[in-house]
């Protein structure tokens, strides 16, 4: 190629660089201190002052007539590498009032350097290679009477004879991000689903603690959010229960709180904002019937389930009649209330006994919940293993039929979940009779209008202590997994990888430790959180 053509190309490249189109290669730096460490940025006399050449419009007015930036810092503040490169340590004795004192510079390659001056001490040696964000020194006041860090970007063949630059000068052209990233912010954003909410009790209110699921490693783990999803909410006085479900159809699960003072029942909703917090407490219903009898234990029965096939979770509540049977009412969600001040719609005036076990689910896959009632043959339901349960179903239209006999005991744990992801929900039993805990499921058959024979999902999935939960933590499939929270606060996971079996205790693993054992636990889709790692 002819020399004239080469000169022309060099001129064009230089012109593009001047207007900012070729500065992408220099956008390599972070600010070399933590965002919370410095008091302010100031200009101090510079013993090596040369004016920066003018360029573009100056958005960041940080002393363009100064070779670098002066961060006012307490002596001994950590200083980090603004970019990866090779370190050279140096020292300059003052022949006048000001000099660099102890300083170092880093060669980042391609004629790019950074210089750090007035250091109190070094962490790295000359010739050492450092990565971006590595600790390299501590700030000081050497060469000056005021503790601060002088930092500059240098371009050219040498950090000493090259062209110095105030890094904030010329429309922030030097930093990896805009606004710049500080050393303590150097990370990559990752988005995780929030799948667990624990509700802890204060003196008179509650806190919502969120946990997100991380599947990036070799196992699934839960981590607590740095901030509460809600704090000092609700009321302990007259509190009857919590439930979670998508009450407004936005795909994020919300929290429902129920209070009853003997005369009125109040229903409040905390709507998830989808990003790790909940909205304010909003009243969605108030009944005038006194749904719950405060003197009776075990009757605070609250469910959320879609009852009208519109994707919103509706409210179902039950209370004890004078003859010990249970009355059930439904409260349809409008997306903004459960009917306001209405008293709901009676689903059944008498279904089950207040000592019975109850489950709710969409067993026919028609978008309409049905209620199951399990009772021992002697009717005691004393949470032992003396008599097997008979299960009856309350259909969405109010009809009652027997759907299973001899399935489980009142001392077992039961769940309505779609174990095999075929859409109708199954009735799952965790057999807590002995230490080798087994898990079974019965599938509802539309043709026989009953549950079929029980099939075993696992033997020896854990101990009889603590609590069990089902939720699909493994996002690679839609099968609900089994979790066990023991009395030491360790949460174990048994994976359901096929819809027909669970991993046994020897293969289960801990997803989190140190969990509270007295809190209420709600699993669901509570939105996502972004974590910088």
């Amino acid at each position: 190629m002819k020399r004239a053509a080469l000169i022309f190309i060099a001129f064009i490249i230089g012109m593009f660089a001047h207007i900012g189109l070729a500065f992408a290669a220099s956008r390599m730096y972070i600010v070399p201190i933590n965002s919370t460490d410095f008091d302010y940025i100031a200009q101090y006399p510079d013993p090596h002052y040369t004016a920066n050449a003018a360029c573009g419009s100056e958005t960041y007015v940080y002393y363009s007539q100064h070779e670098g930036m002066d961060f006012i810092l307490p002596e001994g503040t950590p200083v980090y590498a603004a970019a990866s490169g090779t370190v050279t340590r140096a020292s300059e004795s003052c022949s006048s009032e000001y000099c660099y004192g102890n300083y170092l510079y880093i060669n980042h390659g391609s004629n790019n350097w950074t210089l750090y001056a007035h250091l109190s001490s070094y962490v790295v040696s000359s010739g050492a290679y450092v990565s971006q964000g590595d600790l390299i020194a501590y700030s000081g006041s050497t060469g000056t009477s005021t503790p601060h860090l002088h930092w500059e970007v240098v371009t050219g063949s040498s950090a000493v004879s090259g062209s110095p630059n105030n890094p904030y000068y010329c429309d922030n052209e030097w930093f990896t991000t805009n606004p710049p990233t500080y050393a303590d912010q150097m990370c990559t954003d990752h988005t995780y689903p929030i799948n667990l909410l624990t509700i802890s009790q204060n003196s008179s209110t509650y806190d919502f603690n969120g946990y997100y699921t991380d599947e990036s490693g070799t196992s699934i783990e839960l981590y607590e959010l740095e901030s509460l999803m809600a704090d000092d909410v609700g009321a302990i006085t007259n509190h009857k229960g919590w439930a979670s479900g998508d009450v407004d159809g936005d795909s994020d699960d919300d929290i429902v709180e129920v209070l009853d003072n003997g005369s009125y029942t109040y229903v409040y909703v905390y709507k998830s904002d989808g990003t790790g917090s909940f909205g304010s407490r909003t009243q969605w219903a108030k009944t005038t019937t006194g749904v719950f009898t405060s003197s009776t234990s075990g009757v605070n029965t609250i469910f959320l389930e879609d009852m009208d096939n519109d994707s919103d979770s509706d409210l179902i509540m039950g209370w004890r009649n004078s003859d010990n049977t249970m009355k059930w009412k439904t409260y349809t969600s409008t997306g903004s209330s459960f009917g306001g001040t209405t008293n709901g719609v009676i689903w059944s005036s008498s279904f089950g006994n207040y000592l019975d076990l109850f489950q709710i689910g969409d067993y026919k896959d028609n978008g309409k919940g049905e209620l199951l009632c399990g009772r021992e043959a002697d009717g005691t339901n004393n949470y032992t293993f003396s008599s097997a349960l008979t299960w009856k179903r309350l259909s969405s239209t109010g009809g009652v039929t027997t759907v299973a006999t001899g399935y489980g005991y009142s001392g077992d744990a039961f769940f309505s979940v779609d174990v095999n992801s075929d859409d109708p929900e199954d009735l799952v039993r965790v057999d807590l009779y002995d230490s080798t805990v087994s898990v079974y499921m019965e599938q509802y058959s539309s043709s026989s209008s009953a549950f079929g024979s029980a099939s075993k999902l696992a033997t020896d999935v854990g101990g009889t202590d603590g609590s069990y939960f089902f939720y699909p933590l493994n996002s690679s499939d839609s099968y609900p997994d089994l979790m066990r929270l023991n009395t030491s606060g360790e949460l174990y996971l048994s994976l359901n990888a096929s819809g027909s079996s669970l991993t046994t205790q020897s293969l289960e693993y801990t997803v989190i430790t140190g969990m509270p054992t007295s809190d209420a636990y709600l699993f669901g889709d509570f939105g996502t959180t972004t974590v910088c790692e």
Side-chain angles (χ1 to χ4, degrees), residues 100-127:
Y100 279 170
N102 296 328
Y103 71 101
L104 64 79
Y105 50 88
I106 302 176
N107 183 354
H108 305 295
S110 301
N111 292 331
N112 291 296
W113 314 73
T114 49
L115 184 145
Y116 313 75
H118 311 306
L119 306 174
S120 63
S121 61
Y122 304 101
V123 174
V124 292
S125 303
S126 288

Side-chain angles (χ1 to χ4, degrees), residues 489-508:
E490 299 166 321
L491 187 65
Y492 292 94
L493 176 68
S494 293
L495 285 173
N496 175 11
S498 63
S500 59
S501 65
L502 296 165
T503 53
T504 61
Q505 186 175 11
S506 61
L507 297 176
E508 70 178 5

Side-chain angles (χ1 to χ4, degrees), residues 394-405:
L394 176 64
S395 71
S396 59
T397 57
V400 176
T401 56
T402 299
V403 291
T405 57

